[in-house]
Structures are given as structure tokens and as C-alpha cells.
Amino acid sequence: MNLLMICSVILTGRISEWNHYTHFGGVNDILVEESSVTAATTGGVIFGSIQSGEIVWDSTWTCPGNLSHSDARCLARDSYDNLWIGTYGGGIDVQMNAGGFQHYGQLEGLPTSLKINCIFPDTTVWVGTTEGLCSKEFGYFDVWTEFTTEGGLPSDIVNCIASVDSGLFVGTSSGLVMLRSGQDPGTSASWLNFPGVENLIVQDILVAGDTVWAASTEGLYYLTDGQNWQVDSSYPNSYPVSLAAGNGLLAVGDKGNVAIFNGTRWASGSGGLGNQVVQAISWISADSMVIGQYASDAVNRTSGNGVG
């Protein structure tokens, strides 16, 4: 399988050209670890390495084979160096550092559709699905929904998760909330609602220093200590989807655009991305990044320009 990946170089005040690595499906998530690049796509998981400013693709996992489902939506590395892969219909596959795979599906407590949107492996493993927020402290997942959280969770469609000392930010298709640290998810009092972000479709959350950023279909929002959520009216684009921080810079993937914020001003440019949604974005170095794309008119992300 050929995958599209784009490396962009950031020049003063503008986005430079992209190098494209074509893949016929959508690219949903990217994990950059030193010189290695892993991408979750609608056709499987692909592995590569960064060599002399280019990406050289090495191998691919699909189903049947290493994965329970070929449509991979998210990636995460835990503190034991295990690789977690969330699929859209097959549950979770974990490549164990010690060797072999561990699979989590309905028998391990995940919802029946097995559609995974995001994974945050910590002391508690948190998983966002299309049927609720799942948590695993031992061998079995508990599923938390609007009903089982007494309305604390505003929607069963959980798109993104981010952790801070005070709790767990949870972005859903109907708003952004926080589960207070150490509290029982099954009690409504354990959940903190925020003015200004009710009913938003939250697509990504990022904690960068003392600021929390949220990408939503209504715009780019941010939260600083002691303040309420605010929309960034200076953000130059209209549909923020993905977020990444590095070297004091914030990168935001949008529809056909990437914008970079240096703390004072935004630089934005399409670089020929066309009708592509930048679903994933990650810094490679202080002056280059990698993005994953899918076509905005594709049904269930089945097509796209791959990685850039």
C-alpha cells in the first residue's frame, strides 16, 4: 500500500510547499517518535522513517493480518512502550512491547459497534467511542454514557480526550466537559460544565503549557487559568480539526489549510492541499511537520491525498 504523507517547511510568515506520499484512503492519525512515523489510515497502519528530510515507508498492518479491522482511527503509545491502535469497527489492538498483540473487543467490555475515536492510555486507559466514554483500570472496560453519567457526559459520541492535573477534558459531538480528577464518572456532580462550549462539536483538544485549545466546527477555542473558554477571533481559517504543539508553536489543521501560531500572530497557507481535511498534524522538527488528510466529500473518510 502506498501512503501519502506531506512534510511542510515553515518559512517566515508563510507555509512552504508540501511533499505528498499518496494513499487512496483517509489518514486519521499520525504518531512521530524520533525518526519514525506511524500513520493510522482507513486501509491499515503504515510505518516509516524520516531519512534526509523524506519519509521512507517500511511496512503496513492490515486485516486480515495484524489488525482486527483495517480502518484504523487513532494511535497512542503507553508508558510501557506498547502501541495502542483504535479501529472503526474492530475495537482496539495493542502491539505489546514484550511481543505479540492484545485485542480488546465486546468480550472485554467495549460497546457493540467497536468504533474507536481516541485512546488515552494512563493509569486508567480512557477510550472515546461512538457509544460512550470507556475506562479500564484492570482487565475490563466500563462504558460511560449520557445515561450512566446522569447527564454529566453531554453526548455518547466522544471525539477527543486530554488530561490535566484537575481532571480529564472530554470533547463530544455536543459539547466539552471535564471529569474531575479521582471522581466517579457515574455521578453528575463529578462532571464540570463550561460556559461558552456547550453544544459544540469538539474535534480535538490540546494542552500546551498553561493553555488548553479546542478545535470545533464553530471555531478555535482556548482556556487559560482562571478564565472562561473563549473563541480565538484572530484565527485565520474557519474549520479547525487537528492540533499540535512544538517548539513554542501551535499548529492547527483545517479544511485545505494549516495555520501556525507563534504566540503573537498567525501564519496560514494551503500549499496546494485543495479539498482535503487535515485530520492529523504533528511536528517533526522546529521547521517541519507531517499531516494526514482525507477528502472532505469522502464517505466515511474512504479517500484522500494521504500524508503530507
Side-chain angles (χ1 to χ4, degrees):
M1 171 171 44
N2 295 323
L3 178 69
L4 155 65
M5 212 159 196
I6 305 173
C7 295
S8 72
V9 179
I10 312 308
L11 301 180
T12 303
R14 68 185 183 93
I15 310 296
S16 77
E17 297 178 356
W18 295 92
N19 294 323
H20 294 267
Y21 303 83
T22 304
H23 172 58
F24 293 110
V27 181
N28 299 302
D29 199 6
I30 293 173
L31 184 64
V32 176
E33 300 168 295
E34 297 181 349
S35 62
S36 68
V37 177
T38 307
T41 85
T42 53
V45 175
I46 192 163
F47 300 87
S49 58
I50 303 169
Q51 300 179 19
S52 302
E54 299 286 338
I55 298 173
V56 178
W57 298 107
D58 304 321
S59 58
T60 303
W61 289 347
T62 59
C63 175
N66 301 92
L67 303 180
S68 56
H69 197 289
S70 289
D71 189 345
R73 293 297 173 101
C74 55
L75 303 166
R77 183 81 66 179
D78 66 21
S79 59
Y80 298 100
D81 204 30
N82 303 314
L83 178 63
W84 292 70
I85 303 164
T87 72
Y88 209 66
I92 300 170
D93 296 309
V94 186
Q95 181 203 28
M96 308 301 293
N97 183 41
F101 281 81
Q102 170 73 55
H103 176 71
Y104 295 99
Q106 292 183 33
L107 292 179
E108 291 74 35
L110 290 176
T112 56
S113 72
L114 299 178
K115 293 181 177 180
I116 312 300
N117 289 325
C118 56
I119 300 175
F120 181 77
D122 200 2
T123 304
T124 299
V125 178
W126 296 100
V127 175
T129 79
T130 59
E131 296 179 87
L133 175 69
C134 303
S135 62
K136 184 183 81 68
E137 292 187 69
F138 301 101
Y140 191 83
F141 281 96
D142 292 310
V143 182
W144 305 101
T145 65
E146 290 184 74
F147 178 75
T148 60
T149 60
E150 300 180 345
L153 195 65
S155 169
D156 292 345
I157 301 175
V158 178
N159 296 322
C160 47
I161 302 167
S163 179
V164 292
D165 290 342
S166 53
L168 186 76
F169 284 105
V170 181
T172 78
S173 64
S174 296
L176 192 158
V177 293
M178 174 188 280
L179 175 62
R180 291 182 171 93
S181 181
Q183 299 298 303
D184 176 14
T187 304
S188 60
S190 300
W191 296 85
L192 177 63
N193 293 288
F194 300 97
V197 289
E198 309 96 332
N199 304 316
L200 293 180
I201 299 175
V202 184
Q203 305 188 105
D204 199 6
I205 306 171
L206 173 71
V207 179
D210 59 357
T211 303
V212 184
W213 297 88
S216 87
T217 55
E218 300 297 321
L220 181 65
Y221 287 74
Y222 65 94
L223 175 70
T224 55
D225 191 31
Q227 303 294 319
N228 292 324
W229 283 96
Q230 302 177 62
V231 65
D232 187 342
S233 58
S234 67
Y235 177 66
N237 301 320
S238 60
Y239 192 82
V241 179
S242 54
L243 305 167
N247 305 293
L249 301 172
L250 171 70
V252 182
D254 206 286
K255 279 186 178 180
N257 278 279
V258 169
I260 298 169
F261 185 57
N262 65 4
T264 303
R265 64 185 182 88
W266 289 94
S268 178
S270 64
L273 298 182
N275 190 32
Q276 298 289 316
V277 177
V278 181
Q279 177 65 28
I281 188 166
S282 182
W283 288 97
I284 296 176
S285 66
D287 61 359
S288 61
M289 66 179 64
V290 61
I291 62 173
Q293 308 163 89
Y294 71 88
S296 61
D297 56 356
V299 177
N300 206 18
R301 308 181 191 176
T302 53
S303 66
N305 280 348
V307 178

